[in-house]
């Protein structure tokens, strides 16, 4: 038998050999809420907590997704790459109408959980609770639109796909810089007043400070509903919209876009008289909203065309093709491009 002293020396030597390997097995990540989260050195399976995170994961590293928060519809699947478009539905852990539960989380066996969006104590508390109940690292990422390049690089680094993140982030930086330069000489008072009408009646909108509306600030337009106060989404009256008299109306709803052009209640609005009622494309994800994630980057180009006609000459179809190829990893046909841009472009 070895003397106890030699065994202790051997054990200590073994620890010195193993410590570097153990140290590499996990790393600390400080998330947007200031939480220090220990995550695996290699992340292979990722669960999205909500829709913006689902989009971000698909864009950055679809092979690491364990599923979609909401299964894409057949119409949406044609704009998503195989085999990822057919991943299972996981439900959502966060936001309105959460449908996921701890049993689902455990059954998917993710290495980490990621949520992207507004960061506040409520979301941090949820993350702490789920992490404690499951033992799975839960990371919060700031989803503010102006941080899009940083967000892409940050999540790509977290997942070990830095080159992909750099490619996407560089595109985002070029697009945002181009747009800012394009409208730089337009005085604030000459920039368009915009109303965003959600739902079939168009009377839900986003107030000042709403994450659903921040893209308007980015492109230098005025959100008329900011006059109603600050907060998130809220319902307004037709009288309020008439008082604001927007230059442009945006919507996601085909029903509202069709009705607003014929409903006498809306007829006296400047936007309706001038024929400036546009529907933002929504497939596979909304360009303007729904969800408020990195998908909105396409809206920077689109809004430059419809809000500032004639300021820049470019082919909207080719810009769409380029974005979908890079971000969604699909090659669009001309028919698909025409389908996306129907009712959304200047006639």
């Amino acid at each position: 038998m070895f003397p106890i002293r030699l065994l202790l020396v051997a054990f200590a030597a073994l620890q010195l050999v193993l410590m570097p390997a153990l140290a590499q097995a996990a790393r600390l990540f400080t998330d947007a809420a200031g939480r220090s989260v220990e995550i695996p050195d290699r992340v292979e399976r990722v669960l999205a907590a909500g829709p913006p995170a689902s989009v971000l994961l698909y864009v950055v590293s679809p092979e690491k997704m364990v599923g979609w928060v909401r299964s894409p519809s057949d119409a949406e699947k044609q704009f998503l790459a195989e085999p990822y478009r057919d991943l299972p539905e996981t439900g959502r852990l966060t936001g309105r109408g959460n449908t996921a539960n701890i049993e689902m989380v455990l059954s998917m066996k993710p290495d980490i959980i990621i949520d992207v969006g507004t960061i506040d104590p409520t979301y941090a508390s949820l993350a702490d609770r789920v992490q404690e109940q499951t033992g799975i690292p839960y990371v919060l990422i700031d989803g503010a639109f102006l941080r899009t390049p940083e967000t892409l690089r940050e999540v790509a680094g977290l997942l070990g796909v830095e080159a992909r993140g750099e490619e996407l982030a560089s595109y985002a930086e070029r697009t945002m810089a181009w747009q800012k330069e394009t409208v730089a000489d337009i005085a604030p008072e000459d920039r368009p007043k915009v109303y965003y009408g959600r739902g079939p009646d168009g009377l839900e909108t986003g107030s000042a400070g709403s994450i659903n509306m921040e893209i308007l600030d980015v492109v230098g337009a005025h959100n008329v509903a900011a006059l109603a106060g600050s907060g998130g989404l809220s319902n307004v009256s037709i009288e309020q919209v008439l008082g604001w008299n927007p230059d442009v109306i945006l919507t996601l709803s085909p029903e509202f876009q069709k009705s607003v052009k014929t409903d006498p209640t809306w007829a006296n609005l400047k936007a309706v008289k001038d024929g400036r009622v546009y529907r933002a494309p929504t497939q596979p994800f909304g360009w303007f909203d729904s969800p408020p994630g990195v998908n909105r980057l396409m809206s920077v180009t689109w809004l430059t065309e419809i809000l500032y006609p004639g300021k820049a000459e470019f082919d909207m179809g080719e810009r769409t093709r380029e974005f979908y190829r890079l971000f969604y990893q699909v090659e669009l046909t001309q028919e698909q491009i025409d389908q996306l841009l129907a009712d959304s472009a200047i006639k």
Side-chain angles (χ1 to χ4, degrees):
M1 295 178 63
F2 287 105
I4 295 297
R5 183 173 62 82
L6 291 179
L7 286 173
L8 291 174
V9 171
F11 181 69
L14 183 61
Q15 281 187 308
L16 290 175
V17 172
L18 292 176
M19 279 179 64
L22 291 172
Q24 292 175 5
R27 52 192 162 128
L28 287 179
F29 179 84
T30 302
D31 72 5
R35 301 164 59 251
S36 185
V37 183
E38 188 175 274
I39 62 173
D41 185 57
R42 289 180 61 84
V43 175
E44 300 297 339
R45 293 178 60 81
V46 188
L47 174 68
S54 203
V55 175
L56 182 61
L57 288 177
Y58 172 72
V59 165
V60 172
S61 190
E63 68 279 1
K64 296 182 187 290
M65 297 173 66
V66 300
W68 294 98
V69 168
R70 177 188 62 79
S71 292
S73 67
D74 289 340
E76 292 164 343
K77 283 182 178 181
Q78 65 175 309
F79 297 101
L80 296 168
E82 294 184 284
Y84 315 113
R85 63 190 184 188
D86 295 314
L87 289 171
E89 180 171 313
T90 62
R92 59 189 298 168
L93 283 167
T94 185
R96 294 193 297 180
N98 57 304
T99 55
N101 54 49
I102 298 303
E103 290 72 21
M104 180 283 299
V105 173
L106 291 171
S107 71
M108 300 305 293
K109 299 179 181 178
D111 297 321
I112 63 171
I113 301 168
I114 291 181
D115 192 21
V116 181
T118 302
I119 305 301
D120 62 24
T122 299
Y123 290 103
S125 176
L126 173 65
D128 286 338
R129 185 169 70 254
V130 173
Q131 184 170 294
E132 181 179 352
Q133 292 174 333
T134 63
I136 300 169
Y138 192 130
V139 172
L140 297 172
I141 303 294
D142 188 345
F145 185 80
L146 284 175
R147 288 194 75 258
T148 296
E150 291 85 351
T151 295
L152 289 165
R153 290 189 177 101
E154 183 178 36
V155 172
L158 187 65
L159 303 184
V161 289
E162 289 84 357
R164 172 67 173 165
E166 185 58 38
E167 182 181 29
L168 297 170
S170 295
Y171 177 96
E173 288 172 335
R174 291 194 305 272
T175 299
M176 294 163 77
W178 164 81
Q179 197 281 332
K180 187 174 182 180
E181 181 181 356
T182 298
V183 302
D185 61 345
I186 302 178
E189 61 271 20
D190 295 330
R191 299 195 176 207
K193 299 184 299 178
V194 181
Y195 174 72
Y196 174 44
R198 290 171 57 104
D201 66 357
L203 292 177
E204 182 184 50
T205 192
S207 307
S210 168
I211 190 173
N212 305 84
M213 303 300 293
E214 61 181 345
I215 190 68
L216 283 185
D217 292 330
V218 171
V219 300
H222 301 293
N223 172 21
V224 295
L227 297 171
S230 60
L233 295 173
S234 60
N235 292 316
V236 296
S237 67
I238 183 60
E239 289 76 19
Q240 286 175 293
V241 181
L242 291 172
W244 297 329
N245 196 26
D247 302 309
V248 175
I249 294 175
L250 303 178
T251 186
L252 304 182
S253 169
E255 295 84 3
F256 173 60
Q257 184 188 38
K258 183 179 180 180
S259 67
V260 75
K261 294 177 179 180
T262 57
D263 188 337
T265 309
W266 297 79
N268 290 325
L269 288 174
K270 186 176 188 301
V272 177
K273 289 180 178 178
D274 294 345
R276 301 187 72 185
V277 180
Y278 306 106
R279 179 173 57 82
T282 58
Q283 294 178 343
F285 315 111
W287 286 15
F288 184 83
D289 185 16
S290 190
V294 295
N295 42 291
R296 295 173 296 171
L297 186 60
M298 190 62 226
S299 200
V300 173
T301 304
W302 174 63
L303 287 174
T304 300
E305 179 187 48
I306 65 170
L307 298 182
Y308 307 100
K311 284 298 294 180
E313 292 187 7
F314 61 92
D315 187 323
M316 191 68 222
E318 284 306 308
R319 292 285 183 97
T320 302
R321 190 189 306 276
E322 178 187 13
F323 181 86
Y324 276 61
R325 179 188 299 127
L326 177 59
F327 278 72
Y328 300 153
Q329 301 172 67
V330 292
E331 192 66 41
L332 297 180
T333 65
Q334 186 58 50
E335 183 181 1
Q336 287 175 314
I337 292 174
D338 293 342
Q339 177 185 336
L340 284 167
L341 298 180
D343 301 318
S344 70
I346 297 170
K347 298 295 189 291

